[in-house]
Amino acid sequence: MGFYYLVEGAKVSRLSCHKPAAVKLKESFYQRSRVDNIARDLLGKVLVSRFNNMLTSGVIVETEAYSYKEKGCHAYNNLRTARTETMFDQGGTMYVYLCYGIHNMFNVVTNKKDKAEAVLIRALEPVEGMDVMMKRASVKNIHRITSGPGKLAKALGIDRTWDGELLTGDDVWVEDSGTKIASNKIVATSRVGIDYAGDDALLPWRFYLKDNPWISRP
DNA sequence: TAGAGGATTGAT
DNA sequence: TCAATCCTCTAC
């Protein structure tokens, strides 16, 4: 495959991004107070799932940040419901909910307990378990198996049964491959599908890798 | 308890 | 452009 990231000025192949001794992200990564910074920092990290000895993973190439302080968030104004309760958990918890009655959305809860913030993972660049992901996603075009929040959750086998589980366990986690994404490769723009949020819909809290072919909306 | 709407997707 | 599909939340 001929796709490369620009990492600190040097070209590094996408496969080699994942080869160095990867380190599972710790609670301290997720429990920082700026959710927009965490959403940015998650770009280039590797989301991994391992169910029934089937390992699937992909480099995170698109994210969105959500906070209880703004109207785009389910937990806006500290709204506690059966669904949003997970967002009030400690950083490093999975928040998975159903959208449009069909799609599972995978989020990473951030900040301290009772500070409802989360990062929606919107797109991945597949790395491992391609065959498993294509089977789960039922798509033939490889570039489309993880190019959207509903699709990537399906490809990695994540559904609402994982809501409230920790990312520090051995089923679903995020790895730091040791590479750093150059800041000029990151684009910050407004989030998708939250017109109802008024001015908050304009917040530049959607982050993606510039010119990356795997993002949800090129 | 009923009704409206949704952090999307794929087919047409 | 539009339907699928059902959970979540709000109003009564």
Side-chain angles (χ1 to χ4, degrees), chain A residues 5 27 60-61 67 70 108 117-118 129 131-132 145 155 176 199 209:
Chain A
Y5 285 127
E27 287 181 353
I60 297 170
V61 298
S67 168
E70 46 86 20
V108 173
E117 296 186 328
D131 49 340
V132 175
I145 57 175
D176 186 349
D199 289 347
L209 294 183

Side-chain angles (χ1 to χ4, degrees), chain A residues 8 17 32 37 41 58 87-89 91-92 118 122 143 145 148 171 173 179 204 206:
Chain A
E8 291 183 331
C17 278
R32 292 173 291 156
N37 285 348
D41 291 347
M87 283 191 83
F88 291 85
D89 280 349
R122 289 189 56 90
H143 278 92
I145 57 175
D171 300 304
W173 67 91
T179 57
R206 176 186 173 219

Side-chain angles (χ1 to χ4, degrees), chain A residues 25-27 29-31 35 38-39 42 47 60 63-66 86-87 89-97 105-111 115-122 152 158 163 165-168 172-174:
Chain A
L25 295 181
K26 298 195 172 90
E27 287 181 353
F29 176 92
Y30 303 106
Q31 294 182 359
V35 66
I38 297 171
L42 279 168
L47 176 61
I60 297 170
T63 59
E64 282 182 357
Y66 290 88
T86 306
M87 283 191 83
D89 280 349
Q90 60 178 330
T93 303
M94 295 182 233
Y95 171 43
V96 187
Y97 69 92
M105 302 281 135
F106 174 76
N107 296 249
V108 173
V109 175
T110 68
N111 215 327
K115 298 278 188 185
E117 296 186 328
V119 176
L120 170 67
I121 309 300
R122 289 189 56 90
L152 75 86
I158 299 170
D163 183 47
E165 298 293 327
L166 291 172
L167 285 158
T168 46
V172 181
W173 67 91
V174 181

Side-chain angles (χ1 to χ4, degrees), chain A residues 55-156:
Chain A
L55 187 77
T56 51
S57 70
V59 177
I60 297 170
V61 298
E62 183 180 344
T63 59
E64 282 182 357
Y66 290 88
S67 168
Y68 64 97
K69 299 170 188 169
E70 46 86 20
K71 300 189 193 78
C73 182
H74 291 158
Y76 170 58
N77 212 13
N78 285 313
L79 178 69
R80 279 181 182 265
T81 66
R83 180 177 63 165
T84 66
E85 197 58 39
T86 306
M87 283 191 83
F88 291 85
D89 280 349
Q90 60 178 330
T93 303
M94 295 182 233
Y95 171 43
V96 187
Y97 69 92
L98 195 66
C99 184
Y100 295 103
I102 309 169
H103 308 292
N104 289 290
M105 302 281 135
F106 174 76
N107 296 249
V108 173
V109 175
T110 68
N111 215 327
K112 305 289 185 192
K113 187 170 171 57
D114 294 327
K115 298 278 188 185
E117 296 186 328
V119 176
L120 170 67
I121 309 300
R122 289 189 56 90
L124 300 176
E125 178 178 335
V127 174
E128 292 181 82
M130 202 83 83
D131 49 340
V132 175
M133 288 196 276
M134 290 191 78
K135 208 172 286 182
R136 283 178 182 152
S138 317
V139 269
K140 291 174 183 169
N141 184 342
I142 199 166
H143 278 92
R144 304 189 71 179
I145 57 175
T146 51
S147 62
K151 290 190 280 189
L152 75 86
K154 194 173 179 183
L156 266 68

